[in-house]
Amino acid sequence: MIRTKIVELSTIEAAAYRQKLKNGKSGVVIMRYDMAQPGLASLNRSTGEPDPSANTNLDLFPIEAFKEALELTSGMPYSRRGAVKLSRHQEEAGTEDELSGEEPPEELATIDSAEYEAIVKTYTNKKGELSYDLLNKDFIQFAKSSKIVADMVASGASEDDIRDHIVKVKLESLTGNRELTTAQTQRIVAMLDEVSPRYVFRELNDEIRRMLSLAKG
């Protein structure tokens, strides 16, 4: 499955992790130590708040526990990991529809790619969280020094095209893979964005907009 590392909660006696759900959304799974059935909430990207599933008992899995789980897993990168079993209870645990089923092949290919692995390895801090500040700082530094980026800005290329070029070239430099496509790059960015407390390349986008604005005079 595609999920983060496990974190231990203090709100209730349970462990939790973020997981890619069957519907493509990011979700939080809470597993109590004293029961089999997990609690599940999807992440509302508009509000940043957890939306518990209809089958989740909020007496057993209070909203505060989901909020704590979201906070503790914020910034933790996804990777392909095995199913979680905390005790004998989980051997017979049922799964909700959102958790069941295979991940789409393109998502598995993204999580297994050398580029995704390289960016996680390069920009993950000692806490196991992606350092978005370092990531953006490094990519902005490249953008400012790239003649191709300067030419794209001067010719009035779109913000999205400039960002896609920057990210693609930086990923290529990390792995040496010159066959990386824009679509693959965009899927990697989307996967990183799933666990970001805000859009992963917000600062880079701000810098690109500034460069375009200066070019227009």
Side-chain angles (χ1 to χ4, degrees):
M1 66 173 66
I2 297 175
R3 64 172 177 83
T4 65
K5 292 180 179 179
I6 298 171
V7 296
E8 189 167 3
L9 304 182
S10 60
T11 312
I12 59 175
E13 292 191 4
Y17 54 90
R18 287 200 196 197
Q19 180 180 341
K20 284 284 288 183
L21 302 180
K22 188 178 179 181
N23 58 14
K25 294 182 179 180
S26 178
V28 176
V29 180
I30 296 179
M31 305 185 76
R32 292 178 62 107
Y33 297 123
D34 58 355
M35 64 181 298
Q37 189 67 30
L40 172 67
S42 60
L43 173 61
N44 187 318
R45 296 293 291 181
S46 298
T47 65
E49 296 292 318
D51 288 335
S53 68
N55 296 329
T56 295
N57 185 332
L58 294 182
D59 291 329
L60 296 172
F61 301 96
I63 195 70
E64 290 78 12
F66 285 111
K67 289 182 177 180
E68 181 187 11
L70 279 176
E71 181 179 352
L72 292 176
T73 58
S74 177
M76 282 189 175
Y78 279 137
S79 60
R80 191 202 283 248
R81 299 178 182 274
V84 178
K85 186 175 69 174
L86 299 182
S87 69
R88 63 180 179 82
H89 291 290
Q90 270 73 51
E91 294 179 5
E92 300 176 357
T95 57
E96 300 201 29
D97 289 342
E98 294 96 328
L99 296 177
S100 60
E102 291 291 327
E103 287 87 353
E106 62 271 15
E107 289 188 354
L108 292 175
T110 298
I111 212 78
D112 290 337
S113 69
E115 289 73 28
Y116 181 83
E117 181 181 352
I119 203 168
V120 168
K121 181 178 180 180
T122 303
Y123 300 105
T124 296
N125 60 27
K126 293 181 180 179
K127 294 181 179 179
E129 301 168 345
L130 279 170
S131 175
Y132 294 98
D133 290 338
L134 178 60
L135 181 66
N136 278 273
K137 182 179 179 180
D138 193 20
F139 280 48
I140 288 171
Q141 185 177 17
F142 166 76
K144 289 180 175 179
S145 64
S146 169
K147 184 180 184 305
I148 294 178
V149 171
D151 290 343
M152 292 179 74
V153 170
S155 64
S158 71
E159 178 185 329
D160 288 345
D161 286 346
I162 295 172
R163 185 191 62 250
D164 286 345
H165 170 76
I166 293 169
V167 175
K168 182 174 181 293
V169 172
K170 283 296 294 180
L171 289 176
E172 288 175 347
S173 71
L174 288 173
T175 63
N177 177 16
R178 305 300 176 188
E179 305 298 323
L180 192 66
T181 67
T182 299
Q184 289 172 315
T185 300
Q186 291 172 342
R187 284 196 290 269
I188 290 171
V189 172
M191 191 68 72
L192 294 171
D193 196 39
E194 286 281 349
V195 293
S196 169
R198 74 289 198 280
Y199 181 64
V200 60
F201 285 118
R202 185 176 64 182
E203 286 83 359
L204 176 60
N205 282 343
D206 289 344
E207 180 61 26
I208 293 171
R209 283 193 290 270
R210 189 189 71 82
M211 294 168 72
L212 288 170
S213 177
L214 289 174
K216 292 178 181 178

